[in-house]
C-alpha cells in the first residue's frame, strides 16, 4: 500500500502543530487536516496559560519552584484521585515544554506569571499575545518545516489493516500514512 504522506496530523491547534513540528524535524512528510475553515483550534482562542514548576521564567521572577512541588500541590488539590503517573509525567516535563516554546519564540514575561487560587507560588505562565501568539509561533514553525495544511476537511474514520492504523478517511477518500496523530480535541 502506497503512503500519501509519512504522518497525518488530525487537528491544527497547539497539540497538532507540536506533533507536526516533531514529525517534520524527524524528516517526515506531514499533512495536517483541519475540519474548520481556519487553523488554530482552541489554542488560538485561549488565554494560553501553561502551568509549570522550575522554569527559567520563574527564576527570572525570583520564584523558587520545582516539578515535585507542582506535583504535590496538584495531586493534593485533586484529593489524590488522579492517575499519579500521568500527573507526575506532566509535572516533570512541563518546565521543559516552556523552555522549548521559548526557544521557538514564544515570549513569557516574568512579571506576567501568576499565582492561581490553588497555587502557593506563581506557576501560571501567560504568553505575550496569549494563546493566539502561542499558536502563531507553533504554526509558523510547522509550515516552515513543510507541513501541508488542509482545512475544511473532516476526518470521518481511521483506516486500518488488522490492528495497524494506515491512514484516515477524509473528504470522501482515503489518505494513507505511516503514522496518524489525533490532536483534535
Amino acid at each position: 500500500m502506497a503512503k500519501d504522506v509519512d504522518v497525518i496530523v488530525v487537528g491544527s491547534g497547539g497539540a497538532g502543530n507540536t506533533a507536526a513540528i516533531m514529525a517534520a524535524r524527524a524528516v517526515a512528510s506531514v499533512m495536517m487536516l483541519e475540519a474548520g475553515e481556519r487553523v488554530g483550534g482552541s489554542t488560538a482562542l485561549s488565554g494560553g496559560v501553561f502551568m509549570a514548576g522550575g522554569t527559567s521564567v520563574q527564576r527570572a521572577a525570583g520564584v523558587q519552584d520545582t516539578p515535585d512541588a507542582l506535583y504535590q500541590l496538584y495531586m493534593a488539590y485533586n484529593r489524590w484521585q488522579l492517575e499519579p503517573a500521568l500527573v507526575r509525567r506532566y509535572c516533570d516535563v512541563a518546565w521543559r515544554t516552556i523552555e522549548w516554546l521559548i526557544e521557538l519564540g514564544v515570549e513569557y514575561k516574568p512579571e506576567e506569571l501568576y499565582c492561581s487560587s490553588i497555587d502557593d507560588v506563581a506557576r501560571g505562565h501567560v504568553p505575550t499575545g496569549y494563546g493566539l501568539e502561542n499558536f502563531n509561533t507553533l504554526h509558523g514553525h510547522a509550515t516552515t518545516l513543510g507541513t501541508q495544511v488542509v482545512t475544511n476537511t473532516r476526518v470521518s474514520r481511521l483506516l486500518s489493516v488488522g490492528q495497524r492504523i494506515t491512514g484516515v478517511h477524509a473528504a470522501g477518500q482515503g489518505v494513507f500514512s505511516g503514522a496518524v496523530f489525533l490532536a483534535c480535541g
Side-chain angles (χ1 to χ4, degrees):
M1 172 182 329
K3 290 188 294 186
D4 294 307
V5 292
D6 294 319
V7 176
I8 295 171
V9 176
V10 182
S12 68
N17 278 281
T18 298
I21 290 167
M22 301 312 276
R25 283 183 173 176
V27 194
S29 59
V30 181
M31 178 185 291
M32 183 183 305
L33 302 175
E34 170 58 46
E37 291 179 22
R38 293 184 298 229
V39 292
S42 60
T43 301
L45 303 172
S46 75
V49 178
F50 198 113
M51 303 301 276
T55 70
S56 63
V57 180
Q58 287 176 303
R59 287 190 298 279
V63 174
Q64 304 254 336
D65 197 14
T66 65
D68 191 55
L70 172 60
Y71 173 80
Q72 294 297 324
L73 183 71
Y74 197 92
M75 290 300 290
Y77 180 76
N78 289 285
R79 297 186 230 160
W80 293 86
Q81 293 180 6
L82 302 175
E83 175 58 47
L86 292 176
V87 176
R88 170 55 68 188
R89 178 74 175 145
Y90 170 80
C91 294
D92 287 347
V93 301
W95 72 270
R96 283 185 250 162
T97 303
I98 290 288
E99 303 307 328
W100 180 72
L101 289 167
I102 290 169
E103 288 174 21
L104 290 181
V106 176
E107 181 182 25
Y108 296 93
K109 295 180 181 176
E111 60 273 15
E112 295 294 324
L113 278 172
Y114 80 91
C115 187
S116 73
S117 62
I118 67 163
D119 282 325
D120 49 359
V121 299
R123 291 188 175 104
H125 294 71
V126 182
T128 300
Y130 305 102
L132 179 60
E133 189 55 33
N134 192 339
F135 161 74
N136 286 338
T137 300
L138 289 168
H139 192 63
H141 281 274
T143 56
T144 297
L145 290 168
T147 297
Q148 177 187 356
V149 180
V150 183
T151 58
N152 291 315
T153 305
R154 183 169 300 280
V155 171
S156 57
R157 69 178 190 272
L158 297 174
L159 302 176
S160 64
V161 172
Q163 300 253 334
R164 186 176 179 282
I165 303 299
T166 57
V168 299
H169 190 267
Q173 64 184 22
V175 183
F176 298 95
S177 67
V180 176
F181 285 89
L182 297 178
C184 46

